[in-house]
Amino acid sequence: MILPPSDQILHSVQSKSWFNSRCQSKVKLQYLKSQREIMNDNVVTNTFRLIDRDQSKTLEIEELYSMFLKNGYPININLLRGFFEKADKDNNKSIELEEFKHVIYDEQATQSFREMMRKMREQAKESNYYSTDFVRLLRYLSYCQDRNALQFQINNHRLTVEKRSKLLSQLIQLNHQYNQDQQMSDEQLQPKPYKKQTNERKTLPPIHQHYVSNSNTSSMIQSQLKLNLSDVHKNSALSLPSYLSPQNTDRNIKQPAIKYQSYLRINNKIFSNNKK
């Protein structure tokens, strides 16, 4: 079955489920995951690289502890160790990127993270952002890192006016993007089920008795012309068969070629060796 070239269908729940079950390794990422899942993966990946100071592609508990302290969180090492053990699935004393991403879907790791954040909120002496949502907290930490880096450059007195104004515009854009991402709800980003539109059959209203009894033919024609033409087109009983004249026979011959080109366009849009 060839899907029609409609984003509403390609990004629906049914299509994503079908792609994941049949051809997951060949379909582009945007047709396998929802917009929420793609955004979460990007946030987790970016924050993972920020915490990984030694660029070892793994996170140690010392790096997580240092990250919380650097951003003003009264972290408890025992609670952090409990969360770390839940996230470390292979028990090799470090967390890989895939394990870090899996925290979102792991109920035990998520529960341990929420408990850790609640304890920090109770013990906090200064106001801070204590979100119990794993991705939202990582997005905030990533935002703080980028914001602090820009502010450090802006405070450099050796900058020219043009360079400083450019950095200020980047800082404003960063704040706007962060607020916009935080305000997005899950309903806006989750795929919606595709509902096939049903064409309702409409019948023409009967001719009034006044015109039936009236022998004037022109008055009957005028009454019928007042009907909505859309009703005529939607009523399959009133649709006339197409007349194959010599002028439109070439167009009918080209129909299979047009359908094949449409199929190739959809195939290239969905499937690719290089997922983008």
Side-chain angles (χ1 to χ4, degrees):
M1 178 181 178
I2 300 176
L3 292 174
S6 171
D7 290 339
Q8 182 181 0
I9 299 179
L10 292 179
H11 292 280
S12 64
V13 176
Q14 297 93 325
S15 298
K16 292 182 185 297
S17 177
W18 191 91
F19 288 144
N20 279 282
S21 61
R22 298 296 183 88
C23 44
Q24 185 177 9
S25 60
K26 298 180 181 179
V27 180
K28 294 180 180 179
L29 185 63
Q30 57 183 334
Y31 300 109
L32 292 174
K33 295 185 176 182
S34 64
Q35 189 178 357
R36 165 63 68 185
E37 293 173 330
I38 295 175
M39 287 182 62
N40 291 346
D41 286 349
N42 293 335
V43 170
V44 174
T45 302
N46 294 336
T47 313
F48 181 90
R49 293 171 181 170
L50 291 176
I51 301 173
D52 185 19
R53 296 177 300 175
D54 55 0
Q55 305 298 320
S56 61
K57 296 183 180 180
T58 58
L59 298 182
E60 286 72 28
I61 190 170
E62 292 80 9
E63 291 176 322
L64 283 175
Y65 185 76
S66 176
M67 181 269 298
F68 279 108
L69 287 181
K70 182 180 178 180
N71 290 276
Y73 288 92
I75 184 66
N76 187 311
I77 188 62
N78 294 326
L79 293 175
L80 180 61
R81 186 176 290 109
F83 165 73
F84 192 90
E85 291 175 355
K86 295 290 190 303
D88 184 17
K89 295 301 181 182
D90 53 6
N91 297 321
N92 62 347
K93 306 300 181 181
S94 62
I95 299 177
E96 288 79 18
L97 177 59
E98 293 303 321
E99 291 177 330
F100 205 53
K101 289 181 179 180
H102 189 67
V103 173
I104 307 173
Y105 312 101
D106 191 335
E107 185 177 354
Q108 293 183 350
T110 302
Q111 186 65 28
S112 178
F113 174 80
R114 290 174 178 172
E115 183 66 21
M116 180 180 66
M117 296 305 299
R118 290 192 190 101
K119 291 292 184 181
M120 281 196 289
R121 184 187 300 167
E122 294 174 359
Q123 300 173 3
K125 297 180 180 180
E126 298 179 359
S127 60
N128 205 337
Y129 183 69
Y130 294 94
S131 176
T132 56
D133 187 276
F134 182 69
V135 177
R136 286 184 176 272
L137 182 68
L138 293 185
R139 183 185 290 116
Y140 174 75
L141 295 175
S142 179
Y143 158 74
C144 290
Q145 181 74 15
D146 297 337
R147 182 195 60 189
N148 295 338
L150 286 174
Q151 289 178 346
F152 179 79
Q153 296 181 45
I154 293 172
N155 294 332
N156 187 0
H157 300 288
R158 298 181 181 179
L159 289 178
T160 60
V161 177
E162 182 180 358
K163 182 66 175 178
R164 191 184 301 275
S165 62
K166 185 177 180 180
L167 291 174
L168 285 173
S169 62
Q170 292 179 4
L171 181 61
I172 294 173
Q173 184 178 2
L174 178 66
N175 294 333
H176 176 72
Q177 184 64 39
Y178 171 75
N179 293 328
Q180 188 176 10
D181 293 342
Q182 289 291 83
Q183 291 175 1
M184 282 188 178
S185 61
D186 292 336
E187 295 181 357
Q188 294 174 312
L189 299 174
Q190 290 293 348
K192 297 178 177 56
Y194 174 71
K195 296 181 180 179
K196 187 176 180 180
Q197 297 180 355
T198 57
N199 295 327
E200 298 180 356
R201 295 175 60 89
K202 293 185 178 181
T203 57
L204 294 175
I207 301 176
H208 295 291
Q209 188 67 26
H210 168 73
Y211 293 112
V212 174
S213 60
N214 193 350
S215 61
N216 189 359
T217 308
S218 60
S219 60
M220 295 179 63
I221 296 175
Q222 290 177 1
S223 64
Q224 290 293 344
L225 289 177
K226 293 180 181 179
L227 296 175
N228 191 353
L229 293 178
S230 62
D231 294 338
V232 178
H233 292 299
K234 292 180 181 179
N235 194 343
S236 59
L238 297 177
S239 60
L240 297 177
S242 59
Y243 172 69
L244 297 178
S245 62
Q247 290 78 11
N248 62 8
T249 52
D250 294 337
R251 183 184 62 183
N252 294 331
I253 294 174
K254 294 180 181 179
Q255 288 298 323
I258 295 175
K259 290 182 179 180
Y260 180 71
Q261 293 176 0
S262 177
Y263 165 77
L264 289 180
R265 185 172 63 254
I266 299 172
N267 186 75
N268 294 333
K269 182 178 181 180
I270 300 174
F271 299 96
S272 175
N273 294 328
N274 185 14
K275 292 184 180 181
K276 296 182 181 179

